[in-house]
Amino acid sequence: MAVRPCSAFGQFSFQSPRSAYSSAMRSGSPSTILLRATVHENGEVAGLLALMLLTDARRPARSTADGRLIPMAEQDRGLWNRDAIDEGIDIVTDAMSRTALGPYQLQAAIAALHAEASTAEAADWMQIFGLYTLLETMTDNPAVTLNRAVATAMVYGPQAGLRLLSTLDGDPRLARSHRPDAVRAHLLEQTGDRDAAAALYRSAARKTTSIPEQNYLRARATQLGHAG
């Protein structure tokens, strides 16, 4: 699950999950007391909050001033909000230590492992792979398998990732999604098959409705063509 921050419109200003949560925790209203109790007692509520904090922490580095998409592996991690990351890690660590494990906690734990690493390559990919494997047993969601394919490639090599990805071929839930082509292109690029990767990047660009994603995927295809 991807949690995206909302935009601000008119006279309303956006308040990040961290600032909203911190402000709520400082007040003494009945709703605040309930929120405190819910986060403390419900591991999945805590997991969702941690996931929101960890996801929002990367927001300043996700795009350039002109709107160009920057994937997580290429982001300037110095721009990430370390306070929000620390808070998210504390919340999910506490929840996982004392409540029943659930999907939101697992997703937050994966986000925490990415956030703790100095580079994408330095992340604990074996643990990320294990968490995605566990998450896959809890959810019937092909997006989890897509992410596990990436983690598999980081641990066991791109061919292993491609084999796992092939298990999703023909899945009707992904019929309109650009992500299978994008992930397969990324893994094929790792194998050195630039032509096939470029073709799939272009295919993924045609399927997504996001202009920044279209531009990024077409740029990747162009770069591979020039590299060849």
Side-chain angles (χ1 to χ4, degrees):
M1 174 182 177
V3 180
R4 298 176 183 267
C6 300
S7 299
F9 297 96
Q11 71 271 33
F12 300 102
S13 60
F14 172 75
Q15 189 175 32
S16 72
R18 178 177 182 272
S19 60
Y21 172 73
S22 298
S23 297
M25 289 299 99
R26 285 194 298 268
S27 72
S29 68
S31 60
T32 296
I33 295 171
L34 177 61
L35 176 59
R36 285 196 186 108
T38 302
V39 169
H40 182 75
E41 295 175 4
N42 190 312
E44 279 297 84
V45 172
L48 176 57
L49 176 60
L51 180 60
M52 292 174 67
L53 287 163
L54 291 161
T55 302
D56 187 66
R58 300 195 300 267
R59 181 162 48 94
R62 284 200 191 103
S63 61
T64 62
D66 60 359
R68 182 174 61 84
L69 179 69
I70 305 175
M72 185 165 65
E74 300 172 19
Q75 289 173 12
D76 179 356
R77 294 179 179 228
L79 297 176
W80 290 2
N81 185 329
R82 301 312 306 185
D83 289 341
I85 288 170
D86 291 343
E87 189 168 0
I89 291 173
D90 286 346
I91 290 170
V92 71
T93 300
D94 175 67
M96 293 179 74
S97 70
R98 59 179 178 74
T99 66
L101 196 60
Y104 281 125
Q105 292 174 66
L106 290 174
Q107 291 175 78
I110 292 166
L113 288 169
H114 284 298
E116 289 176 323
S118 58
T119 65
E121 294 75 15
D124 187 343
W125 283 102
M126 180 60 78
Q127 191 171 172
I128 291 170
F129 168 79
L131 290 169
Y132 273 126
T133 301
L134 182 56
L135 181 60
E136 200 171 30
T137 67
M138 292 184 176
T139 63
D140 182 25
N141 188 337
V144 176
T145 305
L146 283 173
N147 287 324
R148 189 162 75 89
V150 175
T152 299
M154 294 299 293
V155 176
Y156 299 109
Q159 292 294 351
L162 286 165
R163 285 193 294 273
L164 177 58
L165 189 60
S166 69
T167 65
L168 294 174
D169 290 348
D171 191 319
R173 294 170 296 178
L174 296 172
R176 296 184 178 182
S177 174
H178 70 286
R179 290 201 64 211
D181 283 351
V183 172
R184 185 172 276 110
H186 172 67
L187 299 183
L188 285 169
E189 183 180 355
Q190 291 183 351
T191 70
D193 191 344
R194 293 192 296 266
D195 290 342
L200 283 167
Y201 278 130
R202 286 191 289 269
S203 174
R206 289 192 294 270
K207 292 179 180 178
T208 181
T209 58
S210 165
I211 299 302
E213 286 181 341
Q214 289 175 10
N215 292 338
Y216 171 77
L217 293 164
R218 287 170 182 152
R220 290 298 308 141
T222 300
Q223 290 167 9
L224 289 175
H226 289 164

